[in-house]
Amino acid sequence: MMDALSQSWLTIALPIAMITGSMLVSKFLKLSLLGTILAACMPLALPFVDLPFSQELTHRNPHYLIGAGWLVLMSLAVGWVVVRPLASSALQNFGLIKCAYVILLAAALAVVGLLLGNPVVLSTYVPGWKGTAGMVLLCASMLSMSLALIRFFRAAVFLAVWSFVSLVLASEIFLGKLPQQVIREDIDKIEDLFPSAKVNAILKKYGVEDDILRVREVLEES
């Protein structure tokens, strides 16, 4: 590997290509020059990483692997330039903390998908993910679960409160008494206000009666 990378033309061509390409990318895509150069240095380490690629390609033609890494980074840079206005708008609308929270939840979903589909990938490429990264993702998912539970209980409380209010108001308006004072005769009066013929006509008008009959037939058959 070192012999292949130590060839005279590679030791000159790679730094020149990296610096020249970084300057061009930084200028045309309006990215930070220092950040672009640092990103361009990353593919230089690919030939020394144990990747599931052909050993012949990695050892005999390491510049191909470096070039492929640069192409991937170039694609990411172009994609970032395209989505940068949307990302800026999202940051303005949601805030940095909320965007980071959404990214953490997406990462947690991705990790769970890998664990269910192919858990070997995480243990192979990110062996220490269960430490800090795993705890951060766990805390984010538990926070989301807690917020969902709070919203659920709040909705349940609202439903109970307003159902009770509606019941009391309906009882007082239609019957002139509170719900605890309602007796069987009062319920019969309510049923008289809505005769079954009128209810059936309304149901038939909206096609609900046929659905009820089908449900009854299914229940009788079962």
Side-chain angles (χ1 to χ4, degrees), residues 11-89:
T11 56
I12 297 175
L14 285 177
I16 292 177
M18 182 185 68
I19 296 175
T20 305
S22 298
M23 293 177 64
L24 292 175
V25 170
S26 175
K27 180 178 180 180
F28 287 105
L29 299 182
K30 297 181 180 180
L31 299 174
S32 171
L33 178 59
L34 179 60
T36 306
I37 293 176
L38 292 177
C41 292
M42 295 172 58
L44 298 179
L46 289 177
F48 303 98
V49 180
D50 187 14
L51 296 174
F53 302 136
S54 172
Q55 294 295 322
E56 182 179 356
L57 175 65
T58 304
H59 289 281
R60 295 186 180 181
N61 302 291
H63 51 286
Y64 289 168
L65 193 59
I66 295 173
W70 282 342
L71 287 177
V72 172
L73 289 176
M74 184 65 183
S75 301
L76 292 176
V78 173
W80 168 246
V81 170
V82 172
V83 303
R84 182 164 53 185
L86 298 177
S88 300
S89 177

Side-chain angles (χ1 to χ4, degrees), residues 63-131:
H63 51 286
Y64 289 168
L65 193 59
I66 295 173
W70 282 342
L71 287 177
V72 172
L73 289 176
M74 184 65 183
S75 301
L76 292 176
V78 173
W80 168 246
V81 170
V82 172
V83 303
R84 182 164 53 185
L86 298 177
S88 300
S89 177
L91 287 174
Q92 293 176 358
N93 294 332
F94 298 104
L96 181 61
I97 296 178
K98 190 170 183 179
C99 286
Y101 173 66
V102 172
I103 292 173
L104 285 177
L105 292 182
L109 286 174
V111 169
V112 170
L114 286 175
L115 289 175
L116 296 176
N118 190 5
V120 180
V121 174
L122 285 175
S123 59
T124 302
Y125 295 101
V126 194
W129 72 272
K130 294 182 181 180

Side-chain angles (χ1 to χ4, degrees), residues 190-203:
I190 296 176
E191 293 178 351
D192 293 337
L193 295 176
F194 303 97
S196 58
K198 184 182 295 185
V199 174
N200 291 334
I202 295 174
L203 295 177

